[in-house]
Amino acid sequence: MNQPPFIFHDMQDSQMFALAQSAGRAGFKIHGITQSIKEAPWVKHSQFIDEVTELPSLGDVNKGIYALNLKKAGITGVFVPVVDDIADLLAEYAPLLRKNGLSFLTVSPNQIDMCNTIALQQWQGSLWIPPTAYCTGQDLLKTAIAIGFPIILKSIRDGFITFYNQQSLEIWLETAHTHYPLHLHQRVQRYIQGSTEKMATVLLLFDTQTRPVRGFTARRLRVAQTHYGPFGETLAAKAEWLPNLYHAAVELLTAIGWVGFAEVECKQDQNGQWHLLEINPRLSGWTCLAEADGAGLLQAYYHLNTTNSALEPVCLQRSQTSYSRMIASSGHQPDWENFQYSTYKKMFQHQTQACFGAWDKLDKQANQAWLKLMVKRFLKKV
């Protein structure tokens, strides 16, 4: 009996491609979706990608058109969500997509709304929820005072900015109208102070009975610099078992009735208390670290989608692997800080305890395609 393939979207993205490689190494058949095979040569050169379909990304079309494109292309199998809009698509169009031959686990749209830090303000569990609010640009100062300083403004991607006191926010507001979209709704949150290393992530997979069958925890080491500081995507991390954080995240998502993947991003304050930053209803972009460290999230997800048998809850990570995003598509920053001889040596030795994203010992032709892109980017530093 033919086994359905794993389906990974946006293969032009190095993070999605790295996940597909993880599944391919485990012996699964892989069906990749990409915007353009010509612009993503690593897809056609990879020994792990069995079939490729060109489709517009969800960011370029609406959900209905994307779902229709999947149907017209005859794409069937186990679908893996790795970005928020794809997770929203699966939740909203679940009956239609399943009817068209896709298998996946998802919560409802209502449960996605429930996991917002604003909706969770009354949560009394082990994981603390920082005060959060939406407001207009005109009410920003008043809202920040009500929340309490320091605050972080999380209104636009790559535009997170912190204010440690009322005076600094007042001064900024006097000129912000010239360069910041204050006409948009603003998201304001109490800022948890501390270095990047105080941030950590829990990756979880819940079955249809809301049992956390697989889990993984990792601490961040470096994040991308954005317009106002280091508030971007993870550039480097290390696998580290954090039991208090894991159980706090499980407690919260179990109360919501979670099903499928969840990425729980948190930060630890000076007293050791964990605070929730956000919950994403999908895998993390750097789940390749979890798979390299033995978490087994993808294998478990495939099992739950293709069999009627249950899995026993267990965390399989070894906490031995580090991650540095040395391979990055044009939509992401590489870990420039780690571009040094010792890193190159590890990459070309393919050390088992170092994960560099879409760089695989067995995928030599794909490596060569990535290498051309990265040399070009390094010379231009873009």
Side-chain angles (χ1 to χ4, degrees), residues 116-193:
N116 188 293
T117 51
I118 294 178
L120 292 171
Q121 289 297 289
Q122 303 305 313
W123 173 250
Q124 299 294 316
S126 302
L127 195 60
W128 287 12
I129 313 297
T132 311
Y134 282 119
C135 66
T136 65
Q138 290 181 331
D139 292 332
L140 181 55
L141 179 60
K142 181 174 65 175
T143 303
I145 293 173
I147 285 178
F149 290 91
I151 61 104
I152 182 167
L153 189 57
K154 307 171 79 170
S155 303
I156 58 173
R157 183 179 177 87
D158 293 334
F160 289 12
I161 180 171
T162 56
F163 299 95
Y164 288 89
N165 52 59
Q166 181 177 338
Q167 183 182 18
S168 63
L169 177 56
E170 288 174 337
I171 293 173
W172 181 80
L173 285 172
E174 291 178 359
T175 57
H177 66 279
T178 62
H179 58 82
Y180 199 87
L182 289 174
H183 62 283
L184 300 175
H185 247 62
Q186 308 299 311
R187 185 174 183 226
V188 190
Q189 188 176 84
R190 176 81 59 77
Y191 179 60
I192 310 304
Q193 299 188 63

Side-chain angles (χ1 to χ4, degrees), residues 156-323:
I156 58 173
R157 183 179 177 87
D158 293 334
F160 289 12
I161 180 171
T162 56
F163 299 95
Y164 288 89
N165 52 59
Q166 181 177 338
Q167 183 182 18
S168 63
L169 177 56
E170 288 174 337
I171 293 173
W172 181 80
L173 285 172
E174 291 178 359
T175 57
H177 66 279
T178 62
H179 58 82
Y180 199 87
L182 289 174
H183 62 283
L184 300 175
H185 247 62
Q186 308 299 311
R187 185 174 183 226
V188 190
Q189 188 176 84
R190 176 81 59 77
Y191 179 60
I192 310 304
Q193 299 188 63
S195 63
T196 298
E197 290 81 2
K198 293 294 185 179
M199 300 173 67
T201 293
V202 187
L203 297 180
L204 293 166
L205 173 60
F206 288 82
D207 64 14
T208 56
Q209 305 303 312
T210 315
R211 297 189 313 153
V213 295
R214 293 292 183 272
F216 173 80
T217 60
R219 192 178 293 276
R220 298 188 192 185
L221 300 178
R222 289 184 292 280
V223 295
Q225 291 287 327
T226 58
H227 297 310
Y228 302 104
F231 301 118
E233 295 180 326
T234 300
L235 297 179
K238 64 175 181 178
E240 180 180 343
W241 177 235
L242 301 165
N244 291 341
L245 177 58
Y246 169 81
H247 292 298
V250 168
E251 176 191 24
L252 174 56
L253 288 174
T254 300
I256 296 175
W258 205 259
V259 173
F261 288 122
E263 177 193 31
V264 187
E265 299 182 9
C266 303
K267 191 170 185 179
Q268 196 173 29
D269 66 21
Q270 59 184 358
N271 298 318
Q273 174 63 49
W274 288 102
H275 299 254
L276 175 68
L277 300 182
E278 65 179 26
I279 298 173
N280 297 308
R282 53 164 173 78
L283 279 174
S284 166
W286 44 280
T287 304
C288 54
L289 166 62
E291 295 303 280
D293 198 62
L297 293 163
L298 291 176
Q299 291 93 331
Y301 184 71
Y302 190 92
H303 177 93
L304 294 175
N305 277 285
T306 57
T307 73
N308 292 321
S309 58
L311 288 173
E312 287 304 310
V314 63
C315 293
L316 301 173
Q317 73 177 83
R318 299 186 300 266
S319 298
Q320 297 176 352
T321 311
S322 62
Y323 167 73

